Every structure is written in structure tokens, then in C-alpha cells.
Amino acid sequence: MKNLQSELLIGALENARFGVCVVDESGRLVLTNDAFVKKLGLNAANVLGQSYLCLFNLLGAHPSFHKLFSAREAELSIELPIVRADGEHVCILLQSSVMNHSSGEAFRVVSLMDVTDYGVTRDRFTELHRQMEAVNNAVVIVDARAPDMPITYVNAHFERMTGYPKNEVIGRNCRFLQESALHGSARDQEALVVLRAALQKRESCHVTLRNFRKDGSEFSNELFVSPVFDDASELTHFIGVQHEASARNFIGAFIK
């Protein structure tokens, strides 16, 4: 009976539509199903038996990347936009928890779901992505459900305007735009009080902020913030769009 249960479990795992991997206490991937590597655009032969760090180029932008694969952490869930090895843009949901083996060793079980198409077709998602990249304003999206509201998306105009590439901002809270090695902190702005209140109330907001580029130069902007709710009226994200306030403009920030 136990052998039959094991065979059924293995068969179910291999045929599952969601990805699964198991990481041991040393951080080594000891098991993956086909869906896990395929959804990441990888090959099982290149990851099985390797350290979870082999996934860093795809997933490492998120600040909780290391915690996700650490057996010492409690349950964790993160949503992350990635660019797969084949160049396709997808959004994935990763959930992990500890599994204690009878040997006393703790393993980390990480499941992966492709949530790119939730609420939108793949073609529509691709079209929306093109539109966001083409818009002549900086756009930033943050995850309102995750701790510290990390950035999940910025468009190309944001990169040009702030000097920060995507891989340096995804997973961070936008408050870094109020910090400059040349000018210090700009965290005492009156507009930030208004912005924080709007975020807490889950409301739209329009403020003018003082921010800094990566090179330390200062910008002034009008920031329009809007909350995004799902079909169950649950807040999921905030979208910020910057409108030019002067010849030297920039994108504002979300501060909790």
C-alpha cells in the first residue's frame, strides 16, 4: 500500500500543472518536477542537485529571494515579474514552507504558479505590456499585499528618467528615490504625509514630490497614485504615473 501511495504521489507531482521544488538545509535543489523548470524556461539537468543560487538571475531581484529557499524561515509567499531564459515576460507566484523529515532534517518546499494570465489573456497581457513601455510617462506598480510594498514593475521611461535599471528597483520600496548621496534625505516633505495617508486609506492621490536620480541630481514631479482592486474588492497593487511638473521631472515614490 505504501509503495502504491508513493507511486501515486510521484505521478501526481510530475503531472501537476504547478511547479514544485524541494530544497535541503544546505540550499541544494534535491527535487523538481517538470512544471517548475518549464515555467522558468530552464532545464532540469541544469538545476537539480545545484544550489538554489542557480535561480538568482531569474528570481534574485526580490528582497525575499534568499528567505524563500531557506528552511529556517516561516511560510512565505511572493509575486514576482520575471523575464525567462527564452525572453518571455511572465508573472509568477512563489509559495514556500518547511517540511520536517523523519530523519530530523528540514526541507523547503517551494511551489510555483504562472499568474500572468489571471484576469487577462496572454495576448492582452502582452499588448498591455507594450502599451506600458510605450507610454511617455514613468509608470511604477507596487504590490500592496507584500510587506513594505515592493516594486513589481517599472516601464522604460522610469529607467530613463531616474537612471535606475529595472534590476536595481524591482523588489524595493520606492523610498530610495528620496535619498541622495549628494543631497541627503528628502523624507520630511509635507507631500509625503498626504501620500502615506492616501495609501493607508487605499485611495487615489495627487501630490508633487522632490526625488533624486541615481546620479544624485534632483527632480520635481506630479505623482498620480491609484489603487488596484481584484474581483473580490481586495487591494492588490498601487499604480503611480508621473506627469511632468517642470523641465526636470521624475517619478514619485510610495512610502508606507
Side-chain angles (χ1 to χ4, degrees), residues 107-127:
F107 292 86
R108 195 75 175 174
V109 180
V110 181
S111 64
L112 182 158
M113 291 182 62
D114 184 342
V115 294
T116 306
D117 291 334
Y118 276 32
V120 65
T121 65
R122 179 63 56 90
D123 288 344
R124 180 59 178 152
F125 177 84
T126 301
E127 181 59 28

Side-chain angles (χ1 to χ4, degrees), residues 126-140:
T126 301
E127 181 59 28
L128 287 171
H129 182 269
R130 290 197 187 106
Q131 292 174 5
M132 294 282 264
E133 289 299 309
V135 69
N136 194 32
N137 286 313
V139 176
V140 60

Side-chain angles (χ1 to χ4, degrees), residues 181-231:
L182 296 177
H183 303 283
S185 174
R187 300 290 306 283
D188 59 348
Q189 303 175 59
E190 290 287 339
L192 289 177
V193 177
V194 178
L195 178 56
R196 293 188 188 104
L199 297 178
Q200 187 173 15
K201 294 177 182 178
R202 311 192 307 173
E203 297 176 346
S204 298
C205 182
H206 171 207
V207 293
T208 300
L209 292 174
R210 176 185 172 216
N211 284 356
F212 303 102
R213 282 193 177 117
K214 184 177 180 179
D215 64 8
S217 56
E218 184 178 331
F219 295 82
S220 178
N221 82 305
E222 282 186 285
L223 172 66
F224 296 84
V225 177
S226 297
V228 178
F229 299 92
D230 62 17
D231 292 338

